[in-house]
């Protein structure tokens, strides 16, 4: 399912990227932890560059698998794929990519049309950040 309403690299996410590129912050962790949330679109919220957290995160973040992929030119896109399983009925409408399994900094934020999950259902998030 493609993200629909809004998808952004956050202000903090831009700092994560530049810090990792120049080695200024060698301890800066990779933004590989996928989270999902509920309640964003019902509250009229869309992803914004100032986001630092999801509206209401549900479930534990999962470590996704990061790769370089080609969108327009060789290796121009950072991709992270992670799957989260619902432990209860959920109306998921947002996702984020973080640099830690709990707390941490939000690299990307997205809101989208509600995806209804039953307990035990899984949802796979594929994040792609293209550098143009």
């Amino acid at each position: 399912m493609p993200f629909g309403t809004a998808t952004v690299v956050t202000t903090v996410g831009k700092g994560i990227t530049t810090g990792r590129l120049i080695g200024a912050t060698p301890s800066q962790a990779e933004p590989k932890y996928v989270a999902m949330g509920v309640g964003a679109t019902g509250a009229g919220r869309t992803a914004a560059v100032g986001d630092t957290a999801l509206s209401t995160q549900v479930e534990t973040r999962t470590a996704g698998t990061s790769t370089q992929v080609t969108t327009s030119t060789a290796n121009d896109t950072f991709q992270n794929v992670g799957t989260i399983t619902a432990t209860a009925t959920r109306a998921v409408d947002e996702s984020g990519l973080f640099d830690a399994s709990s707390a941490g900094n939000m690299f990307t934020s997205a809101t989208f049309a509600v995806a209804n999950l039953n307990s035990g259902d899984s949802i796979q998030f594929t994040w792609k950040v293209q550098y143009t």
Side-chain angles (χ1 to χ4, degrees):
M1 164 182 49
F3 295 135
T5 306
T7 305
V8 298
V9 174
T10 66
T11 301
V12 172
K14 292 173 186 174
I16 289 171
T17 300
T18 58
R20 287 180 63 93
L21 284 172
I22 64 171
T25 53
S27 62
Q28 173 59 61
E30 176 187 348
K32 65 179 181 179
Y33 295 94
V34 180
M36 69 180 185
V38 299
T41 55
R45 191 183 89 69
T46 60
V49 295
D51 287 350
T52 58
L54 298 175
S55 295
T56 303
Q57 182 176 318
V58 293
E59 310 306 343
T60 302
R61 294 179 190 168
T62 188
T65 300
S66 299
T67 55
Q68 286 179 296
V69 298
T70 299
T71 301
S72 297
T73 58
N75 298 321
D76 64 345
T77 303
F78 166 79
Q79 177 175 284
N80 182 282
V81 179
T83 302
I84 300 175
T85 301
T87 60
T89 300
R90 306 282 189 206
V92 178
D93 61 358
E94 62 182 334
S95 180
L97 198 56
F98 292 81
D99 67 355
S101 60
S102 61
N105 301 298
M106 182 181 243
F107 178 63
T108 53
S109 176
T111 54
F112 45 87
V114 171
N116 291 304
L117 304 177
N118 292 315
S119 182
D121 286 350
S122 295
I123 187 168
Q124 182 180 73
F125 294 97
T126 300
W127 281 95
K128 290 185 176 187
V129 177
Q130 182 185 11
Y131 292 88
T132 59

